[in-house]
Amino acid sequence: MKKMFLMLALVMGATYTNAQDVVDRCLSALEPLVAKAKSVWHDGNAYYGTSSERAERYAIYSLEACAVVDKYIDLIDDVNEQLDLLWGQVDMLSAVLEIYEEDKMGLSATEYTQQTNRKIATLKKLAVLSKKIESKADRDLKLYNINEALAEHYFHKGAYKEASVYYSSCISNYTNLLSSEYANDDDIRKAGQKAYYWMGYTAYKQGDTTIANHYFNKARNILNDNLIQPYK
């Protein structure tokens, strides 16, 4: 019997080591690429200006880093590690896409479309993984952030109907959190305010001022601060 327990302990230890080894290998591959991407814009002291050449190099390093995440993500067992890596991928893609949107640099129009779709796919994968979180409250917190990111993406694109779907999900996540241990947190109130306010904005953009005012007032009743500005 002692031998059996010893073998079990060894197997569990080996499994943990192998799992951690995958994470370590992923981070080791990511770190130099992230460092190179950052060095495109500054050397630790001085910040460089934006140029087409720098934007292109930044995109190359960032997309290589995203490829590393894609290579390792399904080999990692820890959900929290997966979530952190995928959020990092979303941040990298967002930065590359923003440069193109503002200056038309770094990517071609075709590449921009491809990487936009990649960002959406990553966010949706985050949603799938977040549903594995055991704590319902923590799960709703994660899903709120993911739904908000998707909603903001579609709102920015002028796809207001799609944005409203995800803002509606944010409202559901917020409502669930009101019966959790996070109910009295200031950040939760702010999250609810934002969800209702921007849900109303999607209605306003689609020409439905009655629904827009309904959600606007709900947002103001939660928290009446600088966010509460008339829709226009």
Side-chain angles (χ1 to χ4, degrees):
M1 184 64 72
K2 288 182 179 179
K3 185 176 181 181
M4 183 182 295
F5 282 126
L6 177 60
M7 290 180 65
L8 180 60
L10 288 172
V11 169
M12 291 178 67
T15 300
Y16 173 79
T17 301
N18 290 337
Q20 188 60 44
D21 182 58
V22 173
V23 175
D24 290 343
R25 281 189 281 129
C26 179
L27 295 177
S28 293
L30 277 174
E31 286 172 2
L33 293 170
V34 172
K36 286 179 181 179
K38 289 181 178 179
S39 70
V40 168
W41 305 118
H42 60 84
D43 63 3
N45 296 309
Y47 282 83
Y48 309 128
T50 302
S51 70
S52 179
E53 184 271 334
R54 287 198 183 99
E56 186 173 340
R57 280 196 291 126
Y58 182 74
I60 289 170
Y61 293 136
S62 297
L63 297 181
E64 283 185 10
C66 288
V68 170
V69 174
D70 289 339
K71 177 181 177 181
Y72 286 100
I73 195 68
D74 292 327
L75 302 175
I76 296 171
D77 295 327
D78 188 294
V79 171
N80 290 319
E81 294 279 10
Q82 289 178 305
L83 294 175
D84 287 345
L85 285 168
L86 287 175
W87 272 119
Q89 186 177 71
V90 168
D91 289 343
M92 288 185 286
L93 289 170
S94 296
V96 171
L97 294 171
E98 185 177 344
I99 292 170
Y100 179 86
E101 290 164 357
E102 292 182 354
D103 302 308
K104 294 296 183 289
M105 294 179 183
L107 302 170
S108 67
T110 300
E111 289 170 333
Y112 174 76
T113 300
Q114 291 171 342
Q115 299 309 322
T116 297
N117 292 337
R118 187 180 192 177
K119 176 184 173 181
I120 294 170
T122 302
L123 285 166
K124 290 182 176 179
K125 185 162 187 171
L126 273 164
V128 172
L129 288 171
S130 292
K131 291 175 183 177
K132 295 181 180 180
I133 297 172
E134 291 184 8
S135 165
K136 188 177 186 304
D138 291 341
R139 188 164 63 244
D140 274 304
L141 277 173
K142 296 287 188 183
L143 287 170
Y144 178 96
N145 292 330
I146 295 162
N147 287 322
E148 182 183 39
L150 284 162
E152 288 176 348
H153 169 81
Y154 285 113
F155 192 97
H156 178 68
K157 295 291 184 185
Y160 303 117
K161 185 175 181 179
E162 289 86 350
S164 70
V165 171
Y166 291 104
Y167 279 125
S168 178
S169 294
C170 286
I171 290 171
S172 295
N173 298 140
Y174 163 72
T175 302
N176 290 340
L177 287 166
L178 290 178
S179 59
S180 77
E181 60 266 35
Y182 300 120
N184 296 319
D185 287 5
D186 288 341
D187 287 344
I188 299 304
R189 293 179 65 221
K190 185 67 177 178
Q193 178 213 37
K194 288 172 66 178
Y196 281 115
Y197 179 83
W198 289 100
M199 184 69 175
Y201 219 151
T202 65
Y204 178 84
K205 289 292 189 179
Q206 294 177 86
D208 194 331
T209 55
T210 300
I211 294 296
N213 289 333
H214 170 75
Y215 284 113
F216 180 91
N217 290 329
K218 277 185 169 290
R220 184 168 56 185
N221 288 338
I222 294 172
L223 185 63
N224 189 8
D225 62 9
N226 291 335
L227 176 67
I228 305 299
Q229 300 294 328
Y231 298 137
K232 59 183 180 179

